[in-house]
Amino acid sequence: MNSELKIYNTLNRETSIFKPIHAGLVGMYVCGPTVYSNAHLGNARTYISFDIMFRYFLHLGYKVRYVRNITDAGHLEGDRDEGEDKFAKKAKLEQLEPMEIVQKYSLDFHEVLRQFNTLPPSIEPTATGHIIEQIEMTKKIIANGYAYESNGSIYFDVEKFSKAYNYTALSNRNLDELLNNTRTLDGQDEKKGRLDFALWIKAKPEHIMRWQSPWGEGFPGWHLECSAMSSKYLGNEFDIHGGGMDLVPTHHTNEIAQNIACHHTQPARYWVHTNMLTVNGQKMSKSLGNSFLPAELFSGNHPLLERGYSPMTVRFFMLQAHYRSTLDLSNEALQAAEKGLARLLNACKLASQLKTGNVSSFSVEELKDKVYAALNEDFNTPIALANLFEAVKYVNLVNDGKETLTAADQAALAQFLNQMVKDVLGLKPEQEAGTEKIDGLMKMLISMRAEAKNKKDFATSDFIRDQLKEIGIEIKDGKEGTSFSIL
Ligand code: AMP
Ligand code: ZN
C-alpha cells in the first residue's frame, strides 16, 4: 500500500495523516442515540459511516476501542436546557415508565443496526450508568472555576471559559455573533450568561429520573455524559470523536469546553462529522416529519416509496456517497443501488469460480492501490466502489470468455474483492445458506395463501401472512404477483 490514511478534522478544517496517540491503537468515541423514539434512516446513515471507519481501522490492523454511548437520560427537548425531558414526554404519551421507553428504543436501535450489518461497538455505556462520574466531573469543573451553582442547578460559565480558551474553535463561529443570536436572559433566569449551559439540572417535583447530588436531587445535562464517558473509557486524550454534523455547534462545542475545564486538555485529536441524509433536499428528522423508518424502507410501506428495498441495498446506497456529503433519498437512487449491489455481490461469487488462463490484462496490485488510496483519502467509499466496479467489469469479461486471468491473479482478485466488499464495506449476500429451500417453501406458502384467498378463506390467508411477518418475512402483493422479503 502506497498511501497513508488521512482524515478530515473539523477542529482545524484540514485533512491530515492519521497518527494515533498510541501506536497500533485507536480510541474512538461516537455520540450514540437518544433512545426515546425509533431510529430513523438518517441516524442509521451516521452509524453506518462510523461502522466503515471502525471496519477499516480493523482491516488496517489497528486494535480499536470503539465507544458509542446510549443517551438514556438528561436530553431535554430544546438542546439548550429548555423544554420537557424527551423520555418523560414519550413515557406519558405511551403510558410507560421512562426506563421502559429506554428499553424499547434501545432494542429497536440495536435491531436496526444489526439489519444494516454494523459491528457492535467495544463498549456501549449509558448515561444513567455513569451518574457518579458526571457528578465528579461537575465538581472538578466548579473547583476549577468554570461552573457555578444557581438554585440547585449547575451551569457552565461560557463567558469565563472564553476568556481563557477559544469556545467556538470547533464550529468556527464568531462568538459575538453567536451571542447576538442567542435569546437574552430575563430576570427569572438562573444563568449568568446567555451561552451558559447546564451540567446538572435540579429536578422539578414531577421529574421521575432523578439522582442525589451535592446540590440536591437532579439529573445530568446531555453534554456532560459524553465528556464523562469518553474520558472514563478512552482517557483524557484520545484519537477520534465523532457524530453527525448537527452536533458541532452545541453538543460537541460544549463537550470540548467541559473537558478542557476539567482536564485542561482538548479530548480528541480528530473530530469527525458525518453529513445528513436528506429527503427532497431537507434534513431527515423526526421533528420535520419527513423521516423514514428502516422498517418502512424494507417493506416499501411508505407513501414516498414505490416498493421495498433490502437492508444491504440501503447500505450500498449510503456507501455511494462520501460521509461528508449530503445524501438524498429517492426511489431512483435506491433502484440503481439494488442493481449495483447485485452486480458487485455476483462478481464476488464469480471471481472464485473463474476459468484461469496463461495471461492477465488486469493488474490486481493496481486495483488494490487504487482502492486503498480511495479509502485512505478520508474513507472515500464512492471512489473505492468505483474502482471495485472496474474489477467487476473484468470478472464479467473473464466469465464471458472475453478476457483471461492467471490462476495467481484470479486467487488474489477473488480474495481482495471479497475482503473489501464483505469485511470493509460490510456488504453481505442478502440470503445465505438454505436460500433455495427457503425460496421453495415460500413459493408453496404463497400459493397456499393465493388459494385460500380464491376460496374467500381470508382467515387462512391472513394467518399465513401474519405468521410469516412474525418470523420476519414480509409478503407483498404487486402487479407482477406476490413477492417476499426477509426483514
Ligand atoms: P439523536 O438520536 O437525535 O441524538 O441522533 C443520533 C445521531 O444521528 C447523531 O449523531 C445525529 O447527528 C445523527 N443524525 C440525526 N439526523 C440525521 C440525518 N438526517 N442524517 C444523518 N445523521 C443524522
Ligand atoms: Zn455526545
Side-chain angles (χ1 to χ4, degrees):
M1 202 193 311
N2 297 323
S3 55
E4 284 184 272
L5 173 61
K6 288 196 213 116
I7 302 182
Y8 179 83
N9 189 350
T10 311
L11 200 54
N12 57 12
R13 289 160 285 283
E14 276 171 17
T15 307
S16 59
I17 291 179
F18 174 68
K19 291 209 172 69
I21 295 174
H22 306 286
L25 306 179
V26 175
M28 174 162 95
Y29 185 92
V30 173
C31 290
T34 304
V35 283
Y36 74 104
S37 65
N38 293 104
H40 63 63
L41 212 64
N43 306 132
R45 182 185 184 205
T46 282
Y47 298 115
I48 290 172
S49 300
F50 286 106
D51 183 57
I52 294 291
M53 298 178 206
F54 183 30
R55 285 170 177 273
Y56 192 51
F57 280 124
L58 292 174
H59 175 78
L60 294 180
Y62 285 104
K63 187 162 180 250
V64 189
R65 181 176 292 167
Y66 173 20
V67 184
R68 189 184 64 209
N69 70 300
I70 295 270
T71 297
D72 58 350
H75 201 158
L76 302 183
E77 278 201 299
D79 287 344
R80 286 186 173 272
D81 320 323
E82 289 134 21
E84 226 179 314
D85 176 280
K86 289 191 181 195
F87 303 99
K89 185 173 177 190
K90 199 58 181 283
K92 244 185 269 163
L93 211 67
E94 296 196 16
Q95 296 187 318
L96 293 171
E97 276 289 314
M99 281 316 256
E100 285 180 302
I101 293 293
V102 164
Q103 174 70 352
K104 177 175 172 185
Y105 294 110
S106 298
L107 289 174
D108 169 75
F109 175 70
H110 288 135
E111 177 57 13
V112 163
L113 291 195
R114 189 196 60 77
Q115 287 171 318
F116 283 123
N117 198 29
T118 65
L119 299 175
S122 333
I123 304 179
E124 196 166 41
T126 59
T128 55
H130 296 76
I131 300 294
I132 291 170
E133 287 81 352
Q134 295 175 78
I135 291 176
E136 286 309 307
M137 201 160 175
T138 304
K139 282 202 238 165
K140 271 197 199 154
I141 299 175
I142 297 174
N144 290 345
Y146 290 110
Y148 57 90
E149 182 177 357
S150 176
N151 192 27
S153 292
I154 307 292
Y155 292 98
F156 190 92
D157 192 337
V158 174
E159 199 175 313
K160 183 160 180 206
F161 180 82
S162 49
K163 286 198 178 111
Y165 303 97
N166 180 3
Y167 173 66
T168 52
L170 190 71
S171 66
N172 203 23
R173 287 172 76 174
N174 179 300
L175 190 64
D176 293 330
E177 227 168 73
L178 191 62
L179 266 170
N180 291 336
N181 290 333
T182 308
R183 78 174 174 85
T184 47
L185 299 175
D186 55 33
Q188 316 279 304
D189 245 294
E190 295 173 351
K191 299 180 189 179
K192 287 201 289 199
R194 274 188 246 182
L195 294 176
D196 295 358
F197 57 90
L199 300 178
W200 185 264
I201 302 160
K202 179 184 176 170
K204 295 200 180 110
E206 68 275 16
H207 202 96
I208 299 173
M209 293 170 92
R210 56 205 294 145
W211 292 266
Q212 252 327 320
S213 82
W215 318 286
E217 281 193 12
F219 56 95
W222 171 40
H223 316 303
L224 187 63
E225 62 171 285
C226 288
S227 287
M229 295 191 280
S230 61
S231 47
K232 171 159 178 151
Y233 296 109
L234 297 170
N236 292 351
E237 268 191 287
F238 52 93
D239 298 301
I240 297 176
H241 193 311
M245 275 181 190
D246 53 338
L247 302 184
V248 170
T250 308
H251 184 54
H252 287 169
T253 291
N254 292 347
E255 256 192 82
I256 293 177
Q258 293 165 156
N259 280 71
I260 294 178
C262 183
H263 307 301
H264 313 287
T265 169
Q266 162 55 261
R269 296 269 172 102
Y270 299 83
W271 283 83
V272 177
H273 291 101
T274 55
N275 210 330
M276 297 292 111
L277 180 69
T278 59
V279 185
N280 297 322
Q282 223 184 8
K283 176 188 167 186
M284 180 180 290
S285 102
K286 191 119 191 112
S287 51
L288 290 174
N290 65 352
S291 65
F292 280 71
L293 296 183
E296 292 171 335
L297 210 75
F298 304 153
S299 66
N301 201 354
H302 190 286
L304 292 178
L305 287 176
E306 287 165 15
R307 60 181 173 81
Y309 301 92
S310 74
M312 283 305 109
T313 295
V314 180
R315 186 173 170 110
F316 180 90
F317 157 72
M318 296 204 183
L319 302 186
Q320 282 180 311
H322 186 250
Y323 76 88
R324 285 195 295 112
S325 311
T326 53
L327 173 63
D328 202 56
L329 190 75
S330 70
N331 281 288
E332 297 72 43
L334 286 163
Q335 276 157 26
E338 192 174 67
K339 285 201 190 109
L341 175 70
R343 251 169 75 80
L344 187 62
L345 291 173
N346 188 46
C348 285
K349 203 163 72 185
L350 276 183
S352 41
Q353 305 163 2
L354 294 173
K355 264 208 239 146
T356 57
N358 296 327
V359 284
S360 314
S361 50
F362 184 85
S363 163
V364 182
E365 279 314 304
E366 208 175 290
L367 169 74
K368 283 186 178 179
D369 280 350
K370 284 189 194 159
V371 172
Y372 282 122
L375 292 173
N376 282 343
E377 197 57 43
D378 197 22
F379 311 99
N380 198 321
T381 52
I383 296 187
L385 274 172
N387 286 306
L388 289 173
F389 271 95
E390 289 299 312
V392 169
K393 217 191 282 169
Y394 198 79
V395 166
N396 288 323
L397 287 172
V398 176
N399 191 50
D400 294 342
K402 292 179 184 148
E403 289 285 359
T404 57
L405 263 181
T406 62
D409 277 347
Q410 183 248 341
L413 181 58
Q415 203 223 359
F416 182 69
L417 252 184
N418 277 285
Q419 198 177 33
M420 280 297 137
V421 171
K422 292 175 188 162
D423 298 348
V424 177
L425 300 179
L427 296 164
K428 59 172 191 191
E430 304 285 357
Q431 298 169 354
E432 281 174 332
T435 309
E436 279 159 32
K437 288 188 186 125
I438 291 177
D439 284 350
L441 281 170
M442 283 307 300
K443 215 165 153 192
M444 188 174 93
L445 284 166
I446 287 170
S447 66
M448 283 168 73
R449 178 169 162 265
E451 192 155 329
K453 266 187 164 174
N454 275 343
K455 289 189 198 146
K456 303 217 173 326
D457 176 6
F458 297 114
T460 303
S461 63
D462 288 351
F463 177 79
I464 294 173
R465 187 197 56 210
D466 296 344
Q467 290 292 304
L468 284 170
K469 182 126 196 225
E470 217 154 90
I471 58 166
I473 299 177
E474 182 138 51
I475 46 183
K476 267 197 95 182
D477 299 313
K479 270 181 254 152
E480 291 140 29
T482 302
S483 59
F484 72 94
S485 52
I486 298 181
L487 301 178

